[in-house]
Amino acid sequence: MTNQTAHRCPWGSVEDTEMQNYHDHEWGKLNLDDQYLYEMLVLELFQSGLSWSTILHKRENFRHALKNFEIEKVAQMDEHNIDELLLDKGIIRNKLKINAAIKNARAILKMKEEYGSFAKYLQNFIPSPIMHHPETVSDVPVSNELSQKISKQMKKDGFFFVGPVIIYSYLQAIGLINDHLEDCDFKYRA
């Protein structure tokens, strides 16, 4: 099967190769590496109010600006680093989101101390991936009771920009929820 003949979820069937690659190789595919989990949390929080395509096209810039998403290094960032990031035209220059990315790195470090890893923290809510495979895009929720529960707990645990919609999208991104459509050729690869 070539990329041209593959049947994808509608949002992955666009002329944007970044979107296609993300759909085909990442979205819905379980990845519980803590650094990847942090990267996706950062990208999801920056995506709030913007298109996912915009974020994917700035992903390498974010990677460079946020120290390759190394949690310990980002957690040490200070006001001077924030001021530098606010001048970086390659990323989304939103001070609240930049602060949230740093605070979330610190929160992840606390969860790693308590649970052994951020992945284990998340797996307390979802021990194994949830496979939905809805028939149409309209059947895919933007949030659910689980994302509301996780969002509420994450806020209590010191995370920021983790509302139920962001968390649902995040769970899809890291593969804890797999919402590839029923007729998508990539649903079982996840």
Side-chain angles (χ1 to χ4, degrees):
M1 173 177 33
T2 66
N3 277 350
Q4 284 99 9
T5 61
H7 192 270
R8 296 177 175 88
C9 300
W11 65 268
S13 295
V14 293
E15 294 298 317
D16 183 335
T17 55
E18 292 288 333
M19 289 288 282
Q20 278 187 8
N21 286 332
Y22 176 70
H23 171 274
D24 296 357
H25 304 291
E26 280 188 78
W27 191 73
K29 181 178 180 182
L30 186 63
N31 186 337
L32 295 177
D33 173 77
D34 276 0
Q35 188 169 332
Y36 181 78
L37 293 174
Y38 175 62
E39 176 179 355
M40 295 314 293
L41 186 62
V42 168
L43 296 179
E44 289 291 345
L45 79 85
F46 273 97
Q47 187 272 331
S48 179
L50 302 169
S51 75
W52 189 243
S53 176
T54 297
I55 299 304
L56 287 178
H57 285 276
K58 291 182 177 283
R59 189 175 191 174
E60 286 305 315
N61 297 336
F62 277 111
R63 189 170 279 135
H64 176 74
L66 294 173
K67 304 180 184 296
N68 203 34
F69 297 107
E70 291 182 39
I71 301 163
E72 293 80 5
K73 289 182 179 180
V74 177
Q76 294 173 8
M77 294 177 88
D78 58 18
E79 284 300 319
H80 174 73
N81 300 118
I82 292 169
D83 291 341
E84 287 178 343
L85 290 172
L86 288 170
L87 298 174
D88 187 339
K89 294 179 181 176
I91 65 168
I92 309 300
R93 296 177 292 171
N94 178 306
K95 190 169 186 173
L96 290 174
K97 291 179 180 182
I98 291 169
N99 276 318
I102 295 167
K103 290 176 181 177
N104 287 350
R106 294 172 184 158
I108 287 174
L109 290 179
K110 288 180 185 173
M111 296 307 103
K112 285 176 80 167
E113 278 181 28
E114 188 172 339
Y115 294 89
S117 71
F118 185 49
K120 288 180 183 171
Y121 169 80
L122 292 172
Q123 287 177 302
N124 278 324
F125 302 103
I126 307 177
S128 60
I130 298 169
M131 308 296 250
H132 283 155
H133 304 312
E135 290 186 29
T136 67
V137 173
S138 62
D139 295 332
V140 179
V142 294
S143 72
N144 63 10
E145 285 183 30
L146 181 60
S147 72
Q148 292 167 13
K149 176 183 173 183
I150 295 171
S151 168
K152 186 176 180 180
Q153 186 60 50
M154 287 182 79
K155 288 175 185 176
K156 286 180 183 176
D157 292 333
F159 290 88
F160 293 84
F161 266 87
V162 289
V165 173
I166 288 174
I167 291 303
Y168 191 86
S169 183
Y170 176 63
L171 296 173
Q172 291 172 310
I174 63 173
L176 281 173
I177 293 179
N178 186 324
D179 276 335
H180 279 282
L181 298 186
E182 183 61 37
D183 64 351
C184 177
D185 292 335
F186 295 88
K187 70 178 178 179
Y188 296 114
R189 296 181 190 183

